[in-house]
Amino acid sequence: MSLLTRSAAKVAAATPAPGGGPAKQAPTSGYSRQPLTPYLLLLPALAALLLFVYGPALLSLIGSFFVIPLSGGSWKYAGFNNYLKVFADPLIHQAAWNTLVYSLATIIPSIVLGLLLALLMEKMGRGSWLAKTALILPMTANMVAMAVVFKWIFAFQGGFANQLLGIAGLAPVNWLDEADTSLFTVILLGLWRATSLCMLLFMAGLTTIPSSIHEATAVEGIRGFTKLRTVILPMLRPTVVFVTVLSITGAVQVFEIVNVMTKGGPVGSSETAMTAAHKVGFEYFRIGEASAISFILIALLLAVGVIGRQRRTKETS
Amino acid sequence: MRRKILATAALATVTALSLSACGGAESGSGVSVATAAAIDQCKPEETSIKLAFAPQGTPAVEYAKKVMEQKFPGLKIDAVAAQSGNYSDLTKQIVADSAVGKRPDLIMTGLGQLRFWTDSYNPAPLDPATLPEGYQKQFLTAGEVNGTTYLAPFQISTPTMLVNKKILAEAGITDPASIKDFAALEDAARKVTAKTGKPSINISSDDLPDWFSQALVQSSGEKYVAEDGSFGFDTPKGREAIGLLSRLTQDKVSLNVGMNEGQAQFAAGNLAFHMATTSRIAQIAKQAPKDLDWAPIDLPGLNGPAGDLPAGGNGWVVISEDSCKAAFSQAMITEMLTKEASLLSSGKDYSYIPVNKLATEELLKGDNIAPQMRYAWTYDKPLTVWGGFEGAQTAQIINTVRTMMEQLATGKPADDVVPATAKSINSMLGK
Amino acid sequence: MTTSNKVHTALATALGIMAAALALFPFYWMLRTAVAPAEGLTTTGLSLIPGEFDLSNFIRAWDKANLGQAMLNGIAVTLGILVLQLLTCIPAAYALSKFRFRGAGFILGLVLACLLIPNQATMIPTFVGLNLLGLGDTRLGLVLPFVTSAIGIFMLRQQMMAVPDAIMEAAKTDGLGPLRTLVSVVVPIAAPSIAAFSMLSIFTHWNDYLWPLLVARSPDIMTPPLSLATFQNADTGFDYPALSAAAAIVTAPVIILFLLAQRHFVRGMAGTEVAG
């Protein structure tokens, strides 16, 4: 499980649940006479989490201090060399900047659009289920397949986008092979999918608002933007947090659409954190440096999670 | 308190797990390669060899596989072609295969990647005496590092400029072969674009950036790699030569698309000039409509052709860790370079220069040989090695060169781009 | 209904249709290209409505991208992961929602903290570790890192928390042990989120690309997205019709699954992030 996984918990960790924080949960009737049962039930899952989440996270920290030959052979201790190289590498600088641009350009519009679309679906008359289905489809789509399709839509010669420009009397644009437009084109695909995901989550969130609320606001004459601001959004707060967290992790990890559409080029103009890590690890075969990039990414996202949590805890207290 | 203990225990477990994993690595297989044993001491029925190669090698590999299975009954040969014909992709694949413990014994590699293998994988040296009758031994220089032969060239090509004669004639250029220097090339491209209103030339940087740039630099008489192994063409002439890309963009005559897309446009008759390799001539001949009037011409140079072009194409290297596997791998190489195999690797479907001269003779016997194919098969000017930088950083150097070409293709002046590229490549090499 | 309401609804419907059209266009263009004749495509482009149909693209795509084998692998890997995740997540969620025991809070924290560690970022170290175990290039290696899912545990726990204590007590009074209670009482009540989680899991792992890209080296264990990406990288020129056909084949199974089960999906998703 990738992005959904990671973020749900951030929400849980970040939003104080009615029954107290996640650390203080309130299980009820137990089988207190069989004290081992819960541990046995938890054992497989916990072992797997230790092995495949905590283990690798730690391994990325350890590996980041070594030179690791991909073809086997012994690891050589390298001190902070990997980090020094990573911080000095213009490829990584560019990737960090592009990841930031990609994140900002997909997260904010997709949340706004997703919320508006979810609200719009509630206003639509008959046949809204058809529109809903159409709008959720991008979220289920295979991103490699969609990257292939977008690559063709934005192909310089014969691509649909340039055909449209031609009809409008404009010169064709070399979307994916020009440094000015490559990241933008990748962002379009990212946005197309992210909007769908946000809309789905907002739709799910909206269904939890009881109809009595809608009736009450109708009686009081609260409508439109006022209703959205004063009633709907406050009630959707947990969903907004959830969607935000999900969007951040999703955007920061963007890999396959870049890898298929541009391979990070041209001139590194669409290189992102994960494509750079993959390039350093599996094209330049410097696994130690790739581990350092992975660990920096993990640490940054953890920090974002922790800061987010602290801020919200402050707000509520 | 209890929480702390649990946390400590969990952390300890994870640490132990990871450390034991590190310990495992210490005993991992090294990078030593076995030299070939005498083949008569090896039992074919107990041996299997694994090949890694790009799809353009498939027909010759399959032919040689059959011959080998007859000669050595019981020998297993695992020969599945990679999907991509790009040599950097092939190297990536072989290294990643080795990482998961599926190291091949016999690999194809682009001639420009040989130093990567010799620097990090200690391939087995090759005995030229084992090569078959008719093999053109002058190609072996492309497979030598410090005087030892590690690679047997298999499919050889040269850089070339493909021209669409019809488009050029319409723009008033009737003798494309007279285009020998960059000024004439730029002038012709401008004339065509003025006539058609469309870009007229494509020099791609996605597929073989190191080879194309080396060709442009060397055909202008400059060195790609300096005597001391550092970046060779950060000179006034070198900058002017590679600056061709930037001038073409500034003149708005350059298409700037990838190799495949440029080829599709050329075959469709939309492009006057397409820089290519002779090995793609056969593909284009198949792709293009019958009435497309096109020809390969010698690659122009800054002031006319002034130096030898780098040899393109690929060859075979033995990286087996087992001496018997290495022996059978070497025998397999021999079978892949015979006249029959050479006809399959370099003949009508793949217009490489045949490495076996018996094959060339056979190919030229036929009537109705398309002039473009004849050009590809009979190119006999001297060729230099491809690349030449130290090997460990091969992939990163190729990507840096690609970035250089991409920057030039945006119209940035070579006087800015080339020194920066020289600096970063030299720092990778520690020069 | 008042006139202004009608106008609103009509406006909303028009906007909704436009948005839906934008969302669907890439799918349409994929199918439209997949039935186009391959000749001359990159020079002339395509009309919005197909004039002639060429279904041979699908056959070419199926053969060249080795999709038959890839689809079987994809099904095996996706279902394998799903089964294992359900087997590990359901009991864990049950323990974390319906039992009182020492360290429960800590363990829940351990599960939730996993979600803070991005999945793609741990791929490279996981790969290094997996190779040390000798599991690179195996189907098991494709499945193993995903045997459990922290979000699965979390989603199911949220739903199981909602199972009323009275029902649990009743089951206990009826003499049902903890496992029987789980199977016959808790799982049926948590069914909507189990279904929603299952679909999420299938979407995620059918579509996963980075992990198979690292692990699956042999063509015979490649998964559909990987086969498609490899086909895309291969020197087949610019065969967009075959590429689109391959993309359509790879996309189809999850889309069909989604269309069949979408009601359950949206319902099961609802409330997962707010409850509890």
PDB file of all heavy atoms in Angstrom, chain A residues 58 70-71 73-75 156-157 174 266-267 282-284 286, chain B residues 25-26 29 92 99 121 255-256 261 265 395-396 399 406-407:
ATOM      1  N   LEU A  58      15.609   1.929   8.477  1.00  0.00           N
ATOM      2  CA  LEU A  58      16.873   1.930   9.206  1.00  0.00           C
ATOM      3  C   LEU A  58      18.034   1.569   8.273  1.00  0.00           C
ATOM      4  O   LEU A  58      19.115   2.142   8.356  1.00  0.00           O
ATOM      5  CB  LEU A  58      16.780   0.925  10.354  1.00  0.00           C
ATOM      6  CG  LEU A  58      17.764   1.188  11.474  1.00  0.00           C
ATOM      7  CD1 LEU A  58      17.379   2.447  12.221  1.00  0.00           C
ATOM      8  CD2 LEU A  58      17.807  -0.006  12.416  1.00  0.00           C
ATOM      9  N   LEU A  70      26.673  -2.680  -6.095  1.00  0.00           N
ATOM     10  CA  LEU A  70      25.415  -3.322  -6.474  1.00  0.00           C
ATOM     11  C   LEU A  70      25.642  -4.769  -6.875  1.00  0.00           C
ATOM     12  O   LEU A  70      24.775  -5.620  -6.758  1.00  0.00           O
ATOM     13  CB  LEU A  70      24.791  -2.540  -7.636  1.00  0.00           C
ATOM     14  CG  LEU A  70      23.320  -2.795  -7.940  1.00  0.00           C
ATOM     15  CD1 LEU A  70      22.472  -2.578  -6.724  1.00  0.00           C
ATOM     16  CD2 LEU A  70      22.854  -1.896  -9.061  1.00  0.00           C
ATOM     17  N   SER A  71      26.841  -5.061  -7.349  1.00  0.00           N
ATOM     18  CA  SER A  71      27.107  -6.411  -7.844  1.00  0.00           C
ATOM     19  C   SER A  71      27.531  -7.352  -6.722  1.00  0.00           C
ATOM     20  O   SER A  71      27.980  -8.443  -6.975  1.00  0.00           O
ATOM     21  CB  SER A  71      28.207  -6.334  -8.891  1.00  0.00           C
ATOM     22  OG  SER A  71      29.303  -5.626  -8.366  1.00  0.00           O
ATOM     23  N   GLY A  73      29.720  -7.984  -2.911  1.00  0.00           N
ATOM     24  CA  GLY A  73      31.008  -7.549  -2.381  1.00  0.00           C
ATOM     25  C   GLY A  73      30.791  -6.738  -1.124  1.00  0.00           C
ATOM     26  O   GLY A  73      29.663  -6.408  -0.769  1.00  0.00           O
ATOM     27  N   SER A  74      31.882  -6.412  -0.447  1.00  0.00           N
ATOM     28  CA  SER A  74      31.724  -5.853   0.881  1.00  0.00           C
ATOM     29  C   SER A  74      31.430  -4.361   0.837  1.00  0.00           C
ATOM     30  O   SER A  74      31.790  -3.662  -0.105  1.00  0.00           O
ATOM     31  CB  SER A  74      32.999  -6.104   1.685  1.00  0.00           C
ATOM     32  OG  SER A  74      34.093  -5.577   0.980  1.00  0.00           O
ATOM     33  N   TRP A  75      30.739  -3.910   1.895  1.00  0.00           N
ATOM     34  CA  TRP A  75      30.415  -2.495   2.005  1.00  0.00           C
ATOM     35  C   TRP A  75      31.641  -1.764   2.561  1.00  0.00           C
ATOM     36  O   TRP A  75      32.330  -2.277   3.418  1.00  0.00           O
ATOM     37  CB  TRP A  75      29.235  -2.289   2.948  1.00  0.00           C
ATOM     38  CG  TRP A  75      27.953  -2.908   2.485  1.00  0.00           C
ATOM     39  CD1 TRP A  75      27.802  -3.878   1.537  1.00  0.00           C
ATOM     40  CD2 TRP A  75      26.643  -2.607   2.964  1.00  0.00           C
ATOM     41  NE1 TRP A  75      26.472  -4.185   1.396  1.00  0.00           N
ATOM     42  CE2 TRP A  75      25.751  -3.428   2.269  1.00  0.00           C
ATOM     43  CE3 TRP A  75      26.145  -1.711   3.922  1.00  0.00           C
ATOM     44  CZ2 TRP A  75      24.365  -3.384   2.495  1.00  0.00           C
ATOM     45  CZ3 TRP A  75      24.789  -1.683   4.147  1.00  0.00           C
ATOM     46  CH2 TRP A  75      23.906  -2.499   3.431  1.00  0.00           C
ATOM     47  N   PHE A 156       5.081  15.915 -30.191  1.00  0.00           N
ATOM     48  CA  PHE A 156       5.306  17.113 -30.996  1.00  0.00           C
ATOM     49  C   PHE A 156       4.589  17.008 -32.340  1.00  0.00           C
ATOM     50  O   PHE A 156       3.909  17.920 -32.773  1.00  0.00           O
ATOM     51  CB  PHE A 156       6.809  17.309 -31.195  1.00  0.00           C
ATOM     52  CG  PHE A 156       7.156  18.552 -31.964  1.00  0.00           C
ATOM     53  CD1 PHE A 156       6.659  19.783 -31.555  1.00  0.00           C
ATOM     54  CD2 PHE A 156       7.975  18.491 -33.076  1.00  0.00           C
ATOM     55  CE1 PHE A 156       6.984  20.935 -32.253  1.00  0.00           C
ATOM     56  CE2 PHE A 156       8.296  19.650 -33.779  1.00  0.00           C
ATOM     57  CZ  PHE A 156       7.800  20.862 -33.361  1.00  0.00           C
ATOM     58  N   GLN A 157       4.769  15.861 -32.984  1.00  0.00           N
ATOM     59  CA  GLN A 157       4.155  15.668 -34.294  1.00  0.00           C
ATOM     60  C   GLN A 157       2.972  14.726 -34.159  1.00  0.00           C
ATOM     61  O   GLN A 157       3.135  13.609 -33.702  1.00  0.00           O
ATOM     62  CB  GLN A 157       5.166  15.042 -35.267  1.00  0.00           C
ATOM     63  CG  GLN A 157       6.443  15.822 -35.421  1.00  0.00           C
ATOM     64  CD  GLN A 157       6.400  16.777 -36.603  1.00  0.00           C
ATOM     65  OE1 GLN A 157       5.416  16.839 -37.329  1.00  0.00           O
ATOM     66  NE2 GLN A 157       7.474  17.531 -36.783  1.00  0.00           N
ATOM     67  N   ASN A 174       6.788  21.851 -28.502  1.00  0.00           N
ATOM     68  CA  ASN A 174       7.528  20.604 -28.285  1.00  0.00           C
ATOM     69  C   ASN A 174       7.454  20.259 -26.793  1.00  0.00           C
ATOM     70  O   ASN A 174       8.436  20.340 -26.066  1.00  0.00           O
ATOM     71  CB  ASN A 174       8.979  20.794 -28.735  1.00  0.00           C
ATOM     72  CG  ASN A 174       9.663  19.478 -29.019  1.00  0.00           C
ATOM     73  OD1 ASN A 174       9.125  18.413 -28.719  1.00  0.00           O
ATOM     74  ND2 ASN A 174      10.859  19.536 -29.579  1.00  0.00           N
ATOM     75  N   PRO A 266      14.139  17.191 -20.548  1.00  0.00           N
ATOM     76  CA  PRO A 266      15.518  17.458 -20.953  1.00  0.00           C
ATOM     77  C   PRO A 266      16.220  18.412 -19.993  1.00  0.00           C
ATOM     78  O   PRO A 266      15.554  19.182 -19.332  1.00  0.00           O
ATOM     79  CB  PRO A 266      15.347  18.105 -22.330  1.00  0.00           C
ATOM     80  CG  PRO A 266      13.988  18.701 -22.305  1.00  0.00           C
ATOM     81  CD  PRO A 266      13.155  17.868 -21.380  1.00  0.00           C
ATOM     82  N   VAL A 267      17.533  18.320 -19.974  1.00  0.00           N
ATOM     83  CA  VAL A 267      18.384  19.135 -19.101  1.00  0.00           C
ATOM     84  C   VAL A 267      17.922  19.043 -17.651  1.00  0.00           C
ATOM     85  O   VAL A 267      17.967  20.020 -16.915  1.00  0.00           O
ATOM     86  CB  VAL A 267      18.422  20.623 -19.552  1.00  0.00           C
ATOM     87  CG1 VAL A 267      19.761  21.225 -19.162  1.00  0.00           C
ATOM     88  CG2 VAL A 267      18.220  20.784 -21.025  1.00  0.00           C
ATOM     89  N   PHE A 282      20.435   3.192  -9.712  1.00  0.00           N
ATOM     90  CA  PHE A 282      20.375   2.094 -10.667  1.00  0.00           C
ATOM     91  C   PHE A 282      20.869   2.450 -12.059  1.00  0.00           C
ATOM     92  O   PHE A 282      20.790   1.655 -12.978  1.00  0.00           O
ATOM     93  CB  PHE A 282      18.960   1.530 -10.722  1.00  0.00           C
ATOM     94  CG  PHE A 282      18.589   0.896  -9.413  1.00  0.00           C
ATOM     95  CD1 PHE A 282      17.883   1.612  -8.456  1.00  0.00           C
ATOM     96  CD2 PHE A 282      19.006  -0.380  -9.109  1.00  0.00           C
ATOM     97  CE1 PHE A 282      17.587   1.041  -7.233  1.00  0.00           C
ATOM     98  CE2 PHE A 282      18.713  -0.955  -7.893  1.00  0.00           C
ATOM     99  CZ  PHE A 282      18.009  -0.244  -6.947  1.00  0.00           C
ATOM    100  N   GLU A 283      21.374   3.682 -12.206  1.00  0.00           N
ATOM    101  CA  GLU A 283      22.005   4.007 -13.478  1.00  0.00           C
ATOM    102  C   GLU A 283      23.478   4.329 -13.227  1.00  0.00           C
ATOM    103  O   GLU A 283      24.345   3.940 -13.986  1.00  0.00           O
ATOM    104  CB  GLU A 283      21.285   5.206 -14.108  1.00  0.00           C
ATOM    105  CG  GLU A 283      21.571   5.356 -15.586  1.00  0.00           C
ATOM    106  CD  GLU A 283      20.657   6.379 -16.240  1.00  0.00           C
ATOM    107  OE1 GLU A 283      19.494   6.513 -15.808  1.00  0.00           O
ATOM    108  OE2 GLU A 283      21.117   7.063 -17.166  1.00  0.00           O
ATOM    109  N   TYR A 284      23.728   5.017 -12.100  1.00  0.00           N
ATOM    110  CA  TYR A 284      25.116   5.304 -11.735  1.00  0.00           C
ATOM    111  C   TYR A 284      25.631   4.269 -10.731  1.00  0.00           C
ATOM    112  O   TYR A 284      26.781   4.293 -10.362  1.00  0.00           O
ATOM    113  CB  TYR A 284      25.239   6.709 -11.149  1.00  0.00           C
ATOM    114  CG  TYR A 284      24.719   7.805 -12.047  1.00  0.00           C
ATOM    115  CD1 TYR A 284      24.372   9.046 -11.544  1.00  0.00           C
ATOM    116  CD2 TYR A 284      24.585   7.597 -13.414  1.00  0.00           C
ATOM    117  CE1 TYR A 284      23.894  10.053 -12.362  1.00  0.00           C
ATOM    118  CE2 TYR A 284      24.103   8.592 -14.241  1.00  0.00           C
ATOM    119  CZ  TYR A 284      23.754   9.820 -13.723  1.00  0.00           C
ATOM    120  OH  TYR A 284      23.275  10.807 -14.530  1.00  0.00           O
ATOM    121  N   ARG A 286      25.243   3.914  -7.524  1.00  0.00           N
ATOM    122  CA  ARG A 286      25.777   4.384  -6.251  1.00  0.00           C
ATOM    123  C   ARG A 286      24.689   4.265  -5.201  1.00  0.00           C
ATOM    124  O   ARG A 286      23.960   5.213  -4.875  1.00  0.00           O
ATOM    125  CB  ARG A 286      26.254   5.835  -6.405  1.00  0.00           C
ATOM    126  CG  ARG A 286      27.353   5.946  -7.462  1.00  0.00           C
ATOM    127  CD  ARG A 286      28.230   7.145  -7.255  1.00  0.00           C
ATOM    128  NE  ARG A 286      27.529   8.374  -7.537  1.00  0.00           N
ATOM    129  CZ  ARG A 286      27.676   9.074  -8.670  1.00  0.00           C
ATOM    130  NH1 ARG A 286      28.497   8.653  -9.601  1.00  0.00           N
ATOM    131  NH2 ARG A 286      27.023  10.195  -8.841  1.00  0.00           N
TER     132      ARG A 286
ATOM    133  N   ALA B  25      26.344  -9.225   3.410  1.00  0.00           N
ATOM    134  CA  ALA B  25      26.936  -8.618   2.227  1.00  0.00           C
ATOM    135  C   ALA B  25      28.431  -8.881   2.156  1.00  0.00           C
ATOM    136  O   ALA B  25      28.986  -9.033   1.085  1.00  0.00           O
ATOM    137  CB  ALA B  25      26.685  -7.116   2.233  1.00  0.00           C
ATOM    138  N   GLU B  26      29.053  -8.940   3.325  1.00  0.00           N
ATOM    139  CA  GLU B  26      30.500  -9.116   3.346  1.00  0.00           C
ATOM    140  C   GLU B  26      30.919 -10.364   2.587  1.00  0.00           C
ATOM    141  O   GLU B  26      31.921 -10.374   1.901  1.00  0.00           O
ATOM    142  CB  GLU B  26      31.002  -9.239   4.798  1.00  0.00           C
ATOM    143  CG  GLU B  26      30.703  -8.035   5.671  1.00  0.00           C
ATOM    144  CD  GLU B  26      31.591  -6.846   5.375  1.00  0.00           C
ATOM    145  OE1 GLU B  26      32.592  -7.039   4.668  1.00  0.00           O
ATOM    146  OE2 GLU B  26      31.273  -5.738   5.838  1.00  0.00           O
ATOM    147  N   SER B  29      29.212 -12.343  -3.363  1.00  0.00           N
ATOM    148  CA  SER B  29      30.113 -12.707  -4.436  1.00  0.00           C
ATOM    149  C   SER B  29      30.907 -11.491  -4.862  1.00  0.00           C
ATOM    150  O   SER B  29      30.388 -10.400  -4.962  1.00  0.00           O
ATOM    151  CB  SER B  29      29.319 -13.230  -5.626  1.00  0.00           C
ATOM    152  OG  SER B  29      28.600 -12.176  -6.206  1.00  0.00           O
ATOM    153  N   LYS B  92      22.510  -1.026 -17.769  1.00  0.00           N
ATOM    154  CA  LYS B  92      21.703  -0.963 -16.547  1.00  0.00           C
ATOM    155  C   LYS B  92      21.098  -2.321 -16.244  1.00  0.00           C
ATOM    156  O   LYS B  92      21.094  -2.785 -15.116  1.00  0.00           O
ATOM    157  CB  LYS B  92      20.549   0.030 -16.751  1.00  0.00           C
ATOM    158  CG  LYS B  92      20.810   1.403 -16.227  1.00  0.00           C
ATOM    159  CD  LYS B  92      19.514   2.191 -16.156  1.00  0.00           C
ATOM    160  CE  LYS B  92      19.121   2.802 -17.489  1.00  0.00           C
ATOM    161  NZ  LYS B  92      17.931   3.643 -17.431  1.00  0.00           N
ATOM    162  N   ALA B  99      22.857  -7.837  -9.729  1.00  0.00           N
ATOM    163  CA  ALA B  99      22.536  -7.504  -8.338  1.00  0.00           C
ATOM    164  C   ALA B  99      21.573  -8.502  -7.724  1.00  0.00           C
ATOM    165  O   ALA B  99      21.632  -8.771  -6.531  1.00  0.00           O
ATOM    166  CB  ALA B  99      21.953  -6.096  -8.261  1.00  0.00           C
ATOM    167  N   TYR B 121      34.331  -4.804 -13.726  1.00  0.00           N
ATOM    168  CA  TYR B 121      33.909  -6.214 -13.744  1.00  0.00           C
ATOM    169  C   TYR B 121      35.000  -7.194 -14.162  1.00  0.00           C
ATOM    170  O   TYR B 121      34.724  -8.385 -14.314  1.00  0.00           O
ATOM    171  CB  TYR B 121      32.683  -6.385 -14.651  1.00  0.00           C
ATOM    172  CG  TYR B 121      31.392  -6.038 -13.948  1.00  0.00           C
ATOM    173  CD1 TYR B 121      31.076  -4.722 -13.648  1.00  0.00           C
ATOM    174  CD2 TYR B 121      30.495  -7.025 -13.561  1.00  0.00           C
ATOM    175  CE1 TYR B 121      29.910  -4.389 -12.998  1.00  0.00           C
ATOM    176  CE2 TYR B 121      29.321  -6.712 -12.902  1.00  0.00           C
ATOM    177  CZ  TYR B 121      29.037  -5.391 -12.617  1.00  0.00           C
ATOM    178  OH  TYR B 121      27.878  -5.080 -11.970  1.00  0.00           O
ATOM    179  N   LEU B 255      14.727  20.560 -35.553  1.00  0.00           N
ATOM    180  CA  LEU B 255      13.475  19.955 -35.079  1.00  0.00           C
ATOM    181  C   LEU B 255      13.564  19.571 -33.601  1.00  0.00           C
ATOM    182  O   LEU B 255      12.582  19.669 -32.872  1.00  0.00           O
ATOM    183  CB  LEU B 255      13.158  18.716 -35.931  1.00  0.00           C
ATOM    184  CG  LEU B 255      11.864  17.968 -35.619  1.00  0.00           C
ATOM    185  CD1 LEU B 255      10.662  18.867 -35.833  1.00  0.00           C
ATOM    186  CD2 LEU B 255      11.721  16.720 -36.483  1.00  0.00           C
ATOM    187  N   ASN B 256      14.753  19.145 -33.140  1.00  0.00           N
ATOM    188  CA  ASN B 256      14.946  18.794 -31.727  1.00  0.00           C
ATOM    189  C   ASN B 256      13.967  17.773 -31.169  1.00  0.00           C
ATOM    190  O   ASN B 256      13.315  18.014 -30.164  1.00  0.00           O
ATOM    191  CB  ASN B 256      14.906  20.057 -30.853  1.00  0.00           C
ATOM    192  CG  ASN B 256      16.110  20.931 -31.075  1.00  0.00           C
ATOM    193  OD1 ASN B 256      17.144  20.447 -31.537  1.00  0.00           O
ATOM    194  ND2 ASN B 256      15.986  22.204 -30.761  1.00  0.00           N
ATOM    195  N   GLU B 261      11.549   9.530 -33.226  1.00  0.00           N
ATOM    196  CA  GLU B 261      10.574  10.436 -33.814  1.00  0.00           C
ATOM    197  C   GLU B 261      11.187  11.141 -35.025  1.00  0.00           C
ATOM    198  O   GLU B 261      10.519  11.308 -36.047  1.00  0.00           O
ATOM    199  CB  GLU B 261      10.068  11.455 -32.777  1.00  0.00           C
ATOM    200  CG  GLU B 261       8.851  12.198 -33.293  1.00  0.00           C
ATOM    201  CD  GLU B 261       8.085  12.951 -32.224  1.00  0.00           C
ATOM    202  OE1 GLU B 261       8.399  12.799 -31.029  1.00  0.00           O
ATOM    203  OE2 GLU B 261       7.160  13.694 -32.602  1.00  0.00           O
ATOM    204  N   GLN B 265       9.859  11.038 -38.914  1.00  0.00           N
ATOM    205  CA  GLN B 265       9.626  12.227 -39.735  1.00  0.00           C
ATOM    206  C   GLN B 265      10.440  12.176 -41.026  1.00  0.00           C
ATOM    207  O   GLN B 265       9.956  12.569 -42.082  1.00  0.00           O
ATOM    208  CB  GLN B 265       9.994  13.496 -38.942  1.00  0.00           C
ATOM    209  CG  GLN B 265       9.121  13.746 -37.723  1.00  0.00           C
ATOM    210  CD  GLN B 265       7.650  13.840 -38.079  1.00  0.00           C
ATOM    211  OE1 GLN B 265       7.287  14.345 -39.137  1.00  0.00           O
ATOM    212  NE2 GLN B 265       6.793  13.318 -37.217  1.00  0.00           N
ATOM    213  N   ALA B 395      27.951   6.024 -17.211  1.00  0.00           N
ATOM    214  CA  ALA B 395      26.548   6.442 -17.343  1.00  0.00           C
ATOM    215  C   ALA B 395      26.387   7.919 -17.024  1.00  0.00           C
ATOM    216  O   ALA B 395      25.656   8.642 -17.697  1.00  0.00           O
ATOM    217  CB  ALA B 395      25.665   5.607 -16.425  1.00  0.00           C
ATOM    218  N   GLN B 396      27.106   8.361 -16.000  1.00  0.00           N
ATOM    219  CA  GLN B 396      26.949   9.757 -15.615  1.00  0.00           C
ATOM    220  C   GLN B 396      27.571  10.689 -16.658  1.00  0.00           C
ATOM    221  O   GLN B 396      27.036  11.762 -16.933  1.00  0.00           O
ATOM    222  CB  GLN B 396      27.575   9.988 -14.242  1.00  0.00           C
ATOM    223  CG  GLN B 396      26.962  11.181 -13.563  1.00  0.00           C
ATOM    224  CD  GLN B 396      27.526  11.399 -12.174  1.00  0.00           C
ATOM    225  OE1 GLN B 396      28.337  10.608 -11.693  1.00  0.00           O
ATOM    226  NE2 GLN B 396      27.104  12.471 -11.552  1.00  0.00           N
ATOM    227  N   ASN B 399      25.134  10.968 -19.481  1.00  0.00           N
ATOM    228  CA  ASN B 399      24.034  11.871 -19.152  1.00  0.00           C
ATOM    229  C   ASN B 399      24.481  13.327 -19.144  1.00  0.00           C
ATOM    230  O   ASN B 399      23.710  14.211 -19.523  1.00  0.00           O
ATOM    231  CB  ASN B 399      23.419  11.499 -17.802  1.00  0.00           C
ATOM    232  CG  ASN B 399      22.460  10.335 -17.933  1.00  0.00           C
ATOM    233  OD1 ASN B 399      22.064   9.980 -19.033  1.00  0.00           O
ATOM    234  ND2 ASN B 399      22.078   9.741 -16.810  1.00  0.00           N
ATOM    235  N   GLU B 406      21.406  18.864 -24.992  1.00  0.00           N
ATOM    236  CA  GLU B 406      20.067  19.434 -24.805  1.00  0.00           C
ATOM    237  C   GLU B 406      20.137  20.942 -24.593  1.00  0.00           C
ATOM    238  O   GLU B 406      19.309  21.698 -25.106  1.00  0.00           O
ATOM    239  CB  GLU B 406      19.365  18.767 -23.615  1.00  0.00           C
ATOM    240  CG  GLU B 406      18.896  17.356 -23.908  1.00  0.00           C
ATOM    241  CD  GLU B 406      18.449  16.594 -22.657  1.00  0.00           C
ATOM    242  OE1 GLU B 406      18.730  17.065 -21.532  1.00  0.00           O
ATOM    243  OE2 GLU B 406      17.823  15.539 -22.805  1.00  0.00           O
ATOM    244  N   GLN B 407      21.159  21.365 -23.826  1.00  0.00           N
ATOM    245  CA  GLN B 407      21.298  22.805 -23.601  1.00  0.00           C
ATOM    246  C   GLN B 407      21.627  23.532 -24.900  1.00  0.00           C
ATOM    247  O   GLN B 407      21.059  24.585 -25.185  1.00  0.00           O
ATOM    248  CB  GLN B 407      22.392  23.073 -22.565  1.00  0.00           C
ATOM    249  CG  GLN B 407      21.923  22.797 -21.152  1.00  0.00           C
ATOM    250  CD  GLN B 407      23.032  22.980 -20.144  1.00  0.00           C
ATOM    251  OE1 GLN B 407      24.196  22.707 -20.426  1.00  0.00           O
ATOM    252  NE2 GLN B 407      22.681  23.445 -18.962  1.00  0.00           N
TER     253      GLN B 407
END
